[in-house]
Amino acid sequence: MPQPKLIETGLQGWGRHRTAYGLAAQGNSIDTLTWLVTGEGPGFLARGAGRSYGDASLNAGHVSFLMGRMDRAISFDDSTGDLVCQPGMTLNDILKAFVPRGWMLPVTPGTGHPTLGGSVACDVHGKNHHMAGTLSNHIQWLDLLTASGEVVRCSETENPDLFAATVGGLCLTGVIVQLCIRLKRVESAWIVEESVRANSLSEMMERLTVSDETHPYTVAWMDCAMSGSRLGRGQVLLGSHATREQFPHGSDRDLLNVPGLRPLPVPVIPPFSLVNNFSVRVFNTLRISQASDQLTARLVPFWPFFYPLDVANNWNRLYGKAGFIQYQFVVPFEAGEQAVREVVVRCQQAGQIPSLVVLKRLGAEGSGHLSFPKPGWTLALDLPIKTAVWPLLDELDRIILAHGGRVYLVKDARLAPETFRAMYPRFGEWLTIKQKVDPKWRFTSNLARRLKMQEGV
């Protein structure tokens, strides 16, 4: 076969605050990837759409496999919903092809742009984690190209240890070259969206707790500019798939076809962040003014419900040349309110009001050794990059660790190795499998080197 072309390139995560310079190759086929993996050269990392926020998809000084061209659907079983495909298919690709046929992703994060392979490597979760778990719970099997050049099939019953090390394993056990996901049957492409204003953190948490028993999708937006009794005010959003009975009788509407998003462009990167304390306060005030104190319901297409940020292309450019970081953590339920309060107050004291703050409840522990979710409250917040943000995040780490929580590695870019080990007690299990399948660490990343994973527990 012809030798794959390696090109010099600079790649970034979605937070855009760091550029990794190295080599890249298009992952056009299993043969191409095998030739590279088993040859000479620096370490490798598979990269999907590059939508992870921090340095999990970066591999400075090494080789990145760009997987976007391995994006074919191979087969689909209309009786079970089992889709066999290549890893470069994006979530949007799947939804556009299969929602009109009555099938939906069983789990999706807050954007449709990631590849399926990357989403499995991150073991993503969504608004329905309390009922559906993480994406790996719906993966029937995956084929993994290992460092030896062998392609190994993994599932919860076949090579289960390697499966657990790969889902949530951030592409460090090998390259997912093919996989089977079980989609979810739906009657329509519409969501019954219910919303209500919460005037305090306690009220928000109470509403989410009750709603988890009755709604498959639950999430809340929080205004972190408020203090005192109004700290944590915001809007609770609930959702469920609309059934045919919920539409007017005689409606001639095609319930499985809805208009896609028409994203607005963000064509340039401003010299400074347009997301700052002033703009965050203005946005929060406008949004909270539109929220009702009474529970209201409406029918909405699934696109804006699941992917509200996808209405703008390259919205990460709004944070300017310095970029931003998204900090997401989970703490046990019993520590939730206190931990969230401490984090919000500490950000306010540091003069950095977080933007795009999302609160939700997580269900069962993730099946991967390095999966993020565990039962508890998770909060995600965006912060523009400033000099003062790094010591602030170190303080937040200490708060989260003290409450028995952990930080989401997919969005991290600065966690200390010792903090990582304290937050992820199953790292030792993961490392045992990693050393067995890749003893020479052919697969590596900026994140793996920063966390000193190769050095051991």
Side-chain angles (χ1 to χ4, degrees):
M1 61 170 286
Q3 180 176 341
K5 184 178 180 181
L6 294 172
I7 58 172
E8 295 184 1
T9 188
L11 299 172
Q12 293 182 322
W14 189 244
R16 295 192 55 259
H17 61 275
R18 187 169 299 160
T19 302
Y21 295 96
L23 299 174
Q26 291 288 349
N28 296 326
S29 68
I30 296 177
D31 289 342
T32 299
L33 297 172
T34 303
W35 190 92
L36 287 167
V37 166
T38 57
E40 299 296 327
F44 304 100
L45 181 71
R47 176 182 167 97
R51 304 295 287 205
S52 56
Y53 287 74
D55 58 1
S57 66
L58 304 182
N59 201 21
H62 298 264
V63 178
S64 297
F65 294 146
L66 307 182
M67 302 296 292
R69 292 186 182 177
M70 293 183 66
D71 60 352
R72 293 189 302 111
I74 297 170
S75 67
F76 181 69
D77 187 335
D78 198 59
S79 64
T80 63
D82 286 353
L83 168 65
V84 178
C85 63
Q86 294 180 318
M89 282 195 79
T90 68
L91 306 185
N92 281 339
D93 292 337
I94 295 172
L95 292 167
K96 289 176 182 177
F98 290 98
V99 169
R101 299 173 62 172
W103 296 94
M104 176 72 69
L105 286 167
V107 169
T108 179
T111 173
H113 293 295
T115 62
L116 181 59
S119 298
V120 171
C122 298
D123 201 15
V124 297
H125 61 277
K127 298 177 178 68
N128 60 344
H129 184 267
H130 59 289
M131 289 189 176
T134 60
L135 187 61
S136 65
N137 295 126
H138 307 273
I139 300 301
Q140 304 306 295
W141 52 261
L142 59 86
D143 287 343
L144 186 74
L145 172 63
T146 63
S148 67
E150 180 186 7
V151 175
V152 180
R153 178 152 296 186
C154 308
S155 70
E156 291 185 348
T157 57
E158 189 173 3
N159 297 303
D161 289 343
L162 186 54
F163 182 79
T166 299
V167 298
L170 306 173
C171 301
L172 294 172
T173 58
V175 183
I176 298 172
V177 293
Q178 187 170 277
L179 65 163
C180 176
I181 180 174
R182 178 160 292 177
L183 303 183
K184 174 182 179 178
R185 190 182 290 278
V186 292
E187 294 184 34
S188 79
W190 295 80
I191 299 292
V192 180
E193 180 189 80
E194 300 174 63
S195 64
V196 64
R197 176 172 172 163
N199 295 304
S200 68
L201 179 60
S202 298
E203 181 183 342
M204 178 179 289
M205 287 184 156
E206 182 179 357
R207 285 190 177 275
L208 285 172
T209 300
V210 172
S211 299
D212 268 5
E213 300 295 324
T214 56
H215 292 74
Y217 302 105
T218 62
V219 69
W221 161 78
M222 184 187 298
D223 177 2
C224 282
M226 295 292 102
S227 58
S229 62
R230 293 189 297 172
L231 185 148
R233 72 171 185 175
Q235 185 179 32
V236 175
L237 295 170
L238 315 173
S240 56
H241 292 283
T243 63
R244 291 188 175 276
E245 288 73 20
Q246 292 172 298
F247 290 85
H249 290 295
S251 172
D252 58 359
R253 182 185 301 176
D254 184 348
L255 301 185
L256 289 171
N257 281 284
V258 295
L261 294 174
R262 295 183 178 179
L264 299 172
V266 181
V268 298
I269 301 172
F272 54 85
S273 176
L274 300 180
V275 183
N276 51 52
N277 287 355
F278 174 75
S279 63
V280 170
R281 288 182 185 275
V282 170
F283 173 84
N284 289 353
T285 299
L286 290 174
R287 176 158 182 173
I288 201 70
S289 68
Q290 298 172 0
S292 172
D293 283 328
Q294 302 298 317
L295 189 67
T296 59
R298 60 174 184 161
L299 284 169
V300 298
F302 75 90
W303 292 107
F305 178 80
F306 288 121
Y307 310 128
L309 292 180
D310 286 356
V311 299
N313 274 333
N314 298 313
W315 59 264
N316 56 346
R317 293 177 176 177
L318 297 174
Y319 286 86
K321 294 181 178 179
F324 74 106
I325 192 165
Q326 184 171 103
Y327 187 83
Q328 183 171 356
F329 65 86
V330 58
V331 291
F333 286 123
E334 60 272 16
E337 184 168 351
Q338 182 179 350
V340 170
R341 285 185 183 278
E342 289 181 28
V343 166
V344 173
V345 169
R346 189 62 201 94
C347 289
Q348 293 174 345
Q349 291 172 342
Q352 300 196 65
I353 300 175
S355 61
L356 299 175
V357 183
V358 174
L359 177 71
K360 56 192 172 191
R361 288 163 56 90
L362 297 182
E365 186 96 15
S367 57
H369 296 137
L370 298 183
S371 294
F372 166 70
K374 66 178 183 177
W377 292 97
T378 180
L379 186 75
L381 44 88
D382 290 356
L383 293 166
I385 297 297
K386 302 177 182 178
T387 303
V389 78
W390 307 115
L392 168 62
L393 294 176
D394 289 340
E395 290 186 48
L396 300 189
D397 288 345
R398 288 190 284 271
I399 292 173
I400 302 312
L401 193 56
H403 287 292
R406 59 180 170 232
V407 170
Y408 200 2
L409 297 179
V410 175
K411 300 179 179 180
D412 175 56
R414 25 67 51 202
L415 198 67
E418 59 274 12
T419 307
F420 157 68
R421 284 160 174 76
M423 289 181 171
Y424 284 84
R426 298 186 66 189
F427 171 58
E429 296 177 63
W430 178 88
L431 187 62
T432 298
I433 304 303
K434 166 69 171 177
Q435 298 286 29
K436 181 179 179 180
V437 73
D438 184 17
K440 296 182 179 180
W441 281 76
R442 294 289 282 165
F443 296 104
T444 183
S445 68
N446 279 23
L447 179 142
R449 294 186 290 275
R450 171 173 56 83
L451 297 180
K452 298 182 179 180
M453 288 183 165
Q454 192 170 356
E455 279 80 343
V457 179

